Amino acid sequence: MADIDRRRLLLAGAGGALGAFGALSLASPARARSLWTWSPAGSVAGTGAGVDPEWVWDEEVDAVVANLIDRGQVPLVNDLLRDWVRNDQPLPAGLPGELRAWMEEARKLPTWANTTKLQAAVDFTKKKGLYTGALYGLGSGLLSTAIPREARAVYYSKGGADMKDRVAKTAQLGYDVGDVYAYKPQGGMIATTVRTRLVHAAVRHLLPQSPGWSQTSGGQSIPISQADMMVTWHSLPTYVMSRLKQWRVPISAAESEGFLHVWQVTAHMLGIKDEYIPATWADANAQSAQVLDPIVAHTPEGAALTDALLGIIAEVDAGLTEPLINAFSRYIVGDRVGDLIGLDREPLLQPIVSGAWPLVVAFREALIPFPGVPSIAWVLEEALRKFVLLFMAEGRPIHLEIPDANRPL
């Protein structure tokens, strides 16, 4: 792991409480998990077997992709799927039969998908896009680096060799969900989610062969279980909605329900079983409290991912606003997560940001007049706008390809 910079290595092994925690995480990587107690009665299915999702994966596609890898057909499939990007596109000719059959089924929306609610989600993103953009990129993006299993799965997989590209792909999902055409025929979310399932299946097949992952997996034999996927899911919509409420952003009942619904549909399309997908925000918060909140921790792999994300931020203006983004990131994720992932402290800017951002929100929502907003607030908003545009309009090509190997040692 030579690409983790010296400052973060020192952070991981330094004295004090954080250093001790980092050393403990290296020595004992297993995460503490309570027994699964969340009831399927709170799911979109309303019923289910109640099986712990820790021991459930995505069996059908896992078998299909394992066969592709073993037969050496991954390069062919990646080439065929490169231009399959729209929801209404037919699958390309030449795909292996079992893969084509699976994809035709996987691309179908759930019967409970509601077009009115999906449109409400689009309307919500149009109005609140600055907030959700910042929260996906700086909030969820950084929080994911404090999720040990996710950080390690990303780091040791093939995509971990290009951290910037891998982080960009992760962040992109949040913006694609809010696209005007997301699940409409001319949109791309169906293609994105189906290809993501193929990537996940490949990682599940390959990572157990990685010495680096096996030595840090804490006894997990197969990565990306349904439990792991729900942890990641909560780091996106559940986390974002909680922050929007903390910021007192006005959200109508229809907007709130629409935002939840587009993520429920996305969970289903990513292969999560309906009995694990929360039916309401109350159900989501209850599940998140069990599966996400207790497990955030420092890992060297997470620190490397943090460096990659901060490197993307520095590209906005050659690092001129990076201290401001650092301060805002700590404001979003909190000092606990900020310390775990090695975010720099900005003692001068942090109190300014925590005081200015509520004023930005209040002004944007017409709760206070322009003269009541200090100039620092507009500097902060412009920095965030540039950060959001970096992902939404910079034109970086994002290609989801099935890996056929792990991260090179």
Side-chain angles (χ1 to χ4, degrees):
M1 298 182 62
D3 57 346
I4 303 177
D5 67 28
R6 182 174 180 274
R7 179 175 65 82
R8 299 201 185 282
L9 283 174
L10 289 173
L11 177 66
L18 180 58
F21 193 91
L24 178 61
S25 69
L26 285 170
S28 180
R31 73 168 183 170
R33 293 189 72 253
S34 58
L35 294 177
W36 177 254
T37 59
W38 193 80
S39 171
S43 70
V44 294
T47 187
V51 175
D52 188 339
E54 174 74 358
W55 307 107
V56 182
W57 290 271
D58 201 355
E59 290 85 357
E60 185 177 355
V61 67
D62 288 353
V64 170
V65 172
N67 288 336
L68 291 179
I69 295 172
D70 293 343
R71 293 196 299 260
Q73 293 179 307
V74 168
L76 167 67
V77 171
N78 281 335
D79 186 57
L80 291 172
L81 292 179
R82 178 168 289 271
D83 296 323
W84 186 66
V85 294
R86 279 178 51 127
N87 298 335
D88 59 357
Q89 275 183 276
L91 293 176
L95 290 174
E98 61 177 352
L99 175 62
R100 173 180 291 277
W102 176 85
M103 291 182 70
E104 289 291 9
E105 285 299 313
R107 69 187 300 184
K108 296 177 182 177
L109 288 174
T111 57
W112 45 264
N114 184 305
T115 55
T116 300
K117 291 181 179 180
L118 290 175
Q119 184 57 48
V122 171
D123 296 340
F124 167 74
T125 302
K126 285 181 179 178
K127 291 190 287 186
K128 314 297 182 184
L130 179 68
Y131 309 136
T132 56
L135 285 168
Y136 286 140
L138 293 174
S140 301
L142 287 171
L143 179 59
S144 71
T145 69
I147 299 173
R149 283 188 176 180
E150 182 171 351
R152 287 167 176 146
V154 168
Y155 186 87
Y156 291 109
S157 63
K158 185 176 182 179
D162 186 347
M163 296 292 225
K164 186 185 297 183
D165 179 68
R166 183 59 182 82
V167 172
K169 287 176 180 176
T170 302
Q172 190 71 32
L173 179 65
Y175 301 117
D176 289 345
V177 167
D179 185 76
V180 173
Y181 302 114
Y183 283 107
K184 294 179 181 178
Q186 65 270 49
M189 271 302 292
I190 291 176
T192 295
T193 53
V194 170
R195 290 167 70 158
T196 299
R197 286 182 73 178
L198 294 173
V199 172
H200 286 170
V203 171
R204 279 189 288 267
H205 181 69
L206 293 166
L207 266 191
Q209 305 168 37
S210 164
W213 181 81
S214 298
Q215 292 166 11
T216 60
S217 67
Q220 187 182 36
S221 57
I222 304 174
I224 318 180
S225 68
Q226 297 265 302
D228 295 329
M229 294 185 70
M230 285 313 304
V231 167
T232 298
W233 189 87
H234 286 297
S235 74
L236 289 155
T238 311
Y239 173 80
V240 167
M241 182 56 71
S242 71
R243 287 299 184 265
L244 291 175
K245 288 187 173 182
Q246 287 181 10
W247 293 349
R248 299 182 181 179
V249 175
I251 302 170
S252 70
E255 291 169 343
S256 176
E257 193 170 352
F259 183 60
L260 174 61
H261 188 68
V262 74
W263 277 105
Q264 289 169 329
V265 172
T266 299
H268 175 96
M269 296 301 292
L270 287 171
I272 297 173
K273 296 184 182 300
D274 288 355
E275 70 174 90
Y276 301 130
I277 304 172
T280 67
W281 284 118
D283 295 317
N285 290 330
Q287 190 186 95
S288 180
Q290 181 180 5
V291 302
L292 171 60
D293 298 354
I295 59 95
V296 294
H298 169 82
T299 62
E301 296 85 358
L305 285 170
T306 301
D307 280 336
L309 184 54
L310 294 177
I312 293 173
I313 295 170
E315 289 182 1
V316 178
D317 57 5
L320 293 177
T321 57
E322 186 173 351
L324 194 60
I325 297 296
N326 284 339
F328 187 72
S329 298
R330 275 191 172 269
Y331 175 68
I332 291 179
V333 302
D335 281 335
R336 179 194 175 202
V337 172
D339 287 342
L340 289 173
I341 63 177
L343 267 181
D344 290 339
R345 287 183 176 269
E346 304 290 347
L348 295 179
L349 283 174
Q350 281 174 229
I352 295 174
V353 168
S354 61
W357 184 247
L359 297 178
V360 172
V361 173
F363 174 76
R364 288 179 58 84
E365 303 301 327
L367 301 179
I368 62 173
F370 177 79
V373 183
S375 59
I376 184 63
W378 301 116
V379 174
L380 177 60
E381 177 168 0
E382 183 60 21
L384 292 176
R385 191 182 305 279
K386 288 181 180 179
F387 172 75
V388 172
L389 288 175
L390 176 71
F391 289 99
M392 297 182 73
E394 284 285 312
R396 274 200 312 271
I398 301 294
H399 299 297
L400 289 173
E401 295 194 335
I402 304 169
D404 55 3
N406 291 313
R407 178 191 180 100
L409 296 178

